[in-house]
Amino acid sequence: MATLHGVWESIASRGLELLAKRGFGKAAPLMSVCRELLSERGEASGTALAREVSERYRAAAPKARELFLLGLLDKDFLPDPKVVTAAADQYRLRPDSETLAELVAVAEPRRQELFRRINLAPGGTGVVIEMRTDLLRMLPAHPALQSVDADIKHLLSSWFNRGFLHLERIDWNTPALVLEKLIEHEAVHAIDGWDDLRRRLASDRRCFAFFHPALPREPLIFIEVALTRGIASSIQALLDRDAPPMDARRADTAVFYSITNCLEGLRGISFGNFLIKQVVTELEGEKLNLRSFVTLSPMPGFRQWWTSLPEGRKSDVTEPALMRLAAQYLLVERKGDRALDPVAAFHLGNGATVEKIHFGGDRSEKGMAQSFGLMVSYGYRPSQLEKNHEAYVKQGRIAASSAVRALPKKSLK
Amino acid sequence: MATLHGVWESIASRGLELLAKRGFGKAAPLMSVCRELLSERGEASGTALAREVSERYRAAAPKARELFLLGLLDKDFLPDPKVVTAAADQYRLRPDSETLAELVAVAEPRRQELFRRINLAPGGTGVVIEMRTDLLRMLPAHPALQSVDADIKHLLSSWFNRGFLHLERIDWNTPALVLEKLIEHEAVHAIDGWDDLRRRLASDRRCFAFFHPALPREPLIFIEVALTRGIASSIQALLDRDAPPMDARRADTAVFYSITNCLEGLRGISFGNFLIKQVVTELEGEKLNLRSFVTLSPMPGFRQWWTSLPEGRKSDVTEPALMRLAAQYLLVERKGDRALDPVAAFHLGNGATVEKIHFGGDRSEKGMAQSFGLMVSYGYRPSQLEKNHEAYVKQGRIAASSAVRALPKKSLK
Amino acid sequence: MATLHGVWESIASRGLELLAKRGFGKAAPLMSVCRELLSERGEASGTALAREVSERYRAAAPKARELFLLGLLDKDFLPDPKVVTAAADQYRLRPDSETLAELVAVAEPRRQELFRRINLAPGGTGVVIEMRTDLLRMLPAHPALQSVDADIKHLLSSWFNRGFLHLERIDWNTPALVLEKLIEHEAVHAIDGWDDLRRRLASDRRCFAFFHPALPREPLIFIEVALTRGIASSIQALLDRDAPPMDARRADTAVFYSITNCLEGLRGISFGNFLIKQVVTELEGEKLNLRSFVTLSPMPGFRQWWTSLPEGRKSDVTEPALMRLAAQYLLVERKGDRALDPVAAFHLGNGATVEKIHFGGDRSEKGMAQSFGLMVSYGYRPSQLEKNHEAYVKQGRIAASSAVRALPKKSLK
Amino acid sequence: MATLHGVWESIASRGLELLAKRGFGKAAPLMSVCRELLSERGEASGTALAREVSERYRAAAPKARELFLLGLLDKDFLPDPKVVTAAADQYRLRPDSETLAELVAVAEPRRQELFRRINLAPGGTGVVIEMRTDLLRMLPAHPALQSVDADIKHLLSSWFNRGFLHLERIDWNTPALVLEKLIEHEAVHAIDGWDDLRRRLASDRRCFAFFHPALPREPLIFIEVALTRGIASSIQALLDRDAPPMDARRADTAVFYSITNCLEGLRGISFGNFLIKQVVTELEGEKLNLRSFVTLSPMPGFRQWWTSLPEGRKSDVTEPALMRLAAQYLLVERKGDRALDPVAAFHLGNGATVEKIHFGGDRSEKGMAQSFGLMVSYGYRPSQLEKNHEAYVKQGRIAASSAVRALPKKSLK
């Protein structure tokens, strides 16, 4: 950190010429408007200054943004160490609610207030999210920014509290502006243009997204659902854009086949579990005949894990052998307390059940490379989620259907 | 604090009988649902538990609420002092952005997370505000709750950031549910039923309120405006409900005659200055012929200040004498750096100008008691607000019209 | 008609002086703008001229409006009799679809096109309705206006086709502007101010209205419903504004206790039957526990009929005697093919059943005067409406509950 | 007509077998539900029966629809000739407002009431429009249907009165469902998929459509506008989807380059003139710097007219020669009282001015074939529209800019 902080200081001392070369020419006024925004003047003209910060940030070149964000490490944006230390001493003497309140109050970095004031501008929330997007990209090269990220994430967690989000159905009635964002962001199973999208929004499909009131046309996260008879066993079949839509009332299963976070700047502020559960509730509210709610999920770490197995166990790549190994991978393998597979860890953490393993579930290149084409369905049964979650978190017990449970018995000794 | 904390502990030990007598029977399960909400289970079933907390709190008797809020002082809702002290030590050794981030992270009281989770429930934001309303009422008797209030206020300041509020015009098209709240909350110049309200929303009146998306039918703060020719010189004339509405296009002045905060639980989270400024902008946007924007405001502390004057100066209660004293009171008297009169301090802090003093401005009993019936108009001139604000805050200079400035010259030696 | 038409012509000849005295000064330009609106110029500047007609009509004094409406009898607004007669001759020779189409086309009075063009103005629909309101008031004195009324009613029937109306729930969330109209129009059981209204919109009450897209804040007709346990037997009990609201889920009966047409200018364009039926559907859609849908209706003609009975039958005004006579009045007495009582005729025409007669149902002065305080409940059972309607219309059969049916048996020989 | 009517009767007598072969199997029940809808039962169960008619019609094969529409010529849907003739006789004796009203009332074909009742169904308005679409397609082969069309058009003119339409801006925020219809219907300058559409909705473009409340997602007519500096002289330049969008505030001209009717079933019910005028008003309302409003229009009949010229005049196809001929074609040539070119006739009838002729305005194959690539700009100057319209309609005077006016002088002797 000292080093990085030093970077900023030395930059400041090397004069304007160099700064201009590194794109700092644009960061400097941005920074000075920020300081004004935090000053008395900011209290009288907050909105105007916030708007200026927003516009300048949006217009700034990548390098200027980078220098600006590094500038937030400056000690001006931190509290006076003497004051913090004094409050800490009081707390040490009498560690109670009051002394703690004082410590917390004086320790808050001023840049938190800066972010709050930027939000006064129309569109300010979006700018703060963009700042974090940039920050996250810089973290590997500038680990000291972790502390700035902690501040900004703290604020965004508070603003994007689930209680402020609303669920919206996405369909062909949705503004093109929003639909375009689905095409742009869907990374799990890329949407190949408007015709592909239209099929994914047909009468036997459902799509839902969370929105925040300050970002009305910006889906934060969205989920794609297919209504089917029986659990679809292959993603390619589901995505076939020429398949005629089925009458939704004939479906007995809702298959959640893709869930996508749209805003990188909200990374780590999790909505996915809320989204799946609320969508189950929404679908139950429609007068359909759905009896099960399952995912069709990848096993992104399966093949890598398989590679690490002793040679003897890898020779057999027939369906039965792979199915058994997949069951072992999902039900037995752990990373710490959690399931080894990250997707499994997410769904099991939500209280879902390992419902079914699909051989040939994803025959795409990526699917073959990740998991020999195997996919998994996790089941969401509203009445069991809480119990499963607790058993998983507290005792490491993984819920699985009897079919899946039957598989590993044969292979694990 | 030790004492109050002790109250809770001793209560806990005295057993159920006593608790039931003091209404604790209802606080205990509320508290235990809160603890669950903060636990692992809360992660899986957050929304359901949050809903339960909300419902229980709403249903709880005043005594039960009180005990519950005192319960938030419990050390379970505070961080482990050893951890905080250790982080403070690290910070002391190397006081930088990183060690600070760590200190801030570990020092956050767990009840903050509790409040955030309560917000998962539909209507949860309203419950958190209600908790603070109750807290504020308890503060005089339980000063230790100041620390709980600090936590809850911190969160509400973040949630009710101006950037998340939207301004709405209130008129006869507004839902009765909202209008009823104006009648309920207006405290400055009470609204005497629906007919009175209707006159205040007639074609030569304007009313605006700030709303938050999580509280869609709940005005946070509202302002009442009369469109007049010249500055109205008496509040009674403005409020005459039998006065026929004037054609708004004939008006040259907008008189802001009342501004009301509706939610006690948001006390200290200020929107008033934003509201006035944005309403000026709104009114400029209407195609009217307005040339000045002024308030018609009370001087709540004038008579009390007058009482403290030396006898000699008080004998003369004629109009000229009172006008001169009022000018001195507004332009000269100070409480610290700010104007002595609290209403003056608010408007001058916003950058307004002391525009005019009205003799006989408020002939009501309250008006006579507060200020011998005198009222003040503060002028809001968009182009001067920033400059006035800075001059006031930094140099203590108070902006005033030449007419008002002329008054005290005669009396101040 | 010749006479009335003559009135207009003689007025026209008596010169401006007289006209001005009779308020015609304002009708003349209104009429001339109307003629322009129908001319070529109207095609280019239709909207502007229509707006002028609207504004002038709204501003016109009653006398000016009257003269204007009489002016619509002028032969300029009628087709050329020669052309109509010639088309009629063609039709007589060969009465087919084509010759009829020609006859219909040439026979349309030009004032129909005038009304259509007035509708080009914003708010024009409202002006046309107002014209009809005025027309209807004039009819008794000017029966020739019947023909103008026929034209305007023809158009309004087309515009206010049920397919263009939408049902809206009215509650405390409804704009005050709309609620005020309920207070203004409710004639059956007058609403005594905002507090009374509020009780009628409480959680155990429902209110619905039909709206037309061109009149967005104007309820056309509204219905008030009370959710009760058992059929409420007295309107006074229902309207008691101090009765605490019941939990709606405990109700088993929806009592439709008032239905009000708001716009006199739509008289004879019936929505009432659609409204009741759609409200039954809406209520079935709410997840309540309602099992029956009944009215609580007056018998406006009962006492008058009773007065006409032979003396012998009138001596007994005890409950049993009046109940028996009421049953006879409802089930037996006829006016032509229809039930004698107009309210009965309306509900039976809708396919409803005479469900119950309430002694002491309306103890108000009006109730006693109309029907000795008796009221009736008509039952709306969705599955039987069609069958009942047909039996009533074709065979004059009146559906009644066995309880009601049992009553007259005793008295009718 | 007798013949066609006979077709229906003979069909009816040839029995079911034949009918089934011709697809009548589906028309018969449709027709019988229609008859029920017109009967007493229709009064009680109108909405349900109307829904059935709607669904059956939508599901019917083209042949079944055709037979059904022919069935509307049946005398059951016409009034009793005796009654009509009697009313005509009364009218002949005393041709006044009253006897006319009676004649009009009895002469109305019953199918008008049928169409009105079909409108009771949700989506019924759309079905009536679809019926007319089918009718119009059948007219050439079945001219007797002209009378049915007259009835249905009469009704639709009344329902789609301009006063009931609302203008909506179409942009990237518009639901995909609506945007898709633009792609589908735009016939003048076809939209080549979503990317092309997106450019047409960029920040230097505007698009507006009229909607009817009963068809909320169905644009009736839409207009495409380009904001440019100077009058764009070529449609290909305007439609270049790779051209970067200009800052709209830099534009001084709004070019209306395409206007499209979407619903064939509303043919002859004109909205185009209202649309252009209202869009001019909308654009004036935006705070842009527009100074002229012009079209960029084809001359669809130019080349055909040119072909009919004497040989001598056709040899010269240079720019000056074609420009002169175009001016003659636009300003001099007539078809009856109107301009020969149909597009010119439309805009001149609206009161527009021939502003500019563009050589090479449309270099597409179609443009070359229609008009040697020439296009015309008609200017819409709000203050002159009315005057121009009258001069055109009454005296046949065509408004033209001096530049255009200068052209023909050279060539016309």
Side-chain angles (χ1 to χ4, degrees), chain D residues 288-336:
Chain D
L288 298 171
N289 302 301
L290 300 173
R291 281 177 325 210
S292 58
F293 302 90
V294 301
T295 71
L296 186 57
S297 307
M299 283 195 289
F302 178 58
R303 185 155 183 172
Q304 194 182 348
W305 168 79
W306 177 88
T307 308
S308 70
L309 291 179
E311 278 309 317
R313 296 190 61 190
K314 288 191 294 193
S315 51
D316 186 356
V317 291
T318 59
E319 176 169 350
L322 285 172
M323 292 290 275
R324 280 195 301 272
L325 286 173
Q328 178 188 345
Y329 172 68
L330 293 171
L331 304 191
V332 180
E333 302 298 323
R334 291 291 190 284
K335 180 181 183 183

Side-chain angles (χ1 to χ4, degrees), chain B residues 26 46 126 129-130 141 146 185 192 194 223 247 266 286 341 382 391:
Chain B
K26 277 170 189 156
I129 291 173
E130 222 170 310
Q146 202 92 46
H185 291 293
D192 183 22
W194 291 86
I223 190 166
D247 181 348
L266 297 179
E286 273 198 73
D341 187 81

Side-chain angles (χ1 to χ4, degrees), chain A residues 327 330-332 348 351-357 376-379 381 384 388 397-408:
Chain A
L330 292 171
L331 304 191
V332 180
L348 296 171
T353 303
V354 179
E355 201 68 37
K356 204 168 167 183
I357 302 175
V376 200
S377 284
Y378 299 94
R381 298 181 194 151
Q384 300 178 9
N388 287 347
R397 263 216 314 263
I398 287 176
S401 68
S402 52
V404 170
R405 202 170 296 285
L407 287 166

Side-chain angles (χ1 to χ4, degrees), chain B residues 172-177 179-180 194 198 217, chain C residues 172-177 179-180 194 198 217:
Chain B
W172 207 235
N173 258 307
T174 302
L177 190 59
L179 295 182
E180 189 179 49
W194 291 86
R198 205 190 166 171
R217 296 296 195 203
Chain C
W172 207 234
N173 258 307
T174 302
L177 190 60
L179 296 181
E180 189 179 48
W194 290 87
R198 205 192 167 168
R217 297 294 196 203

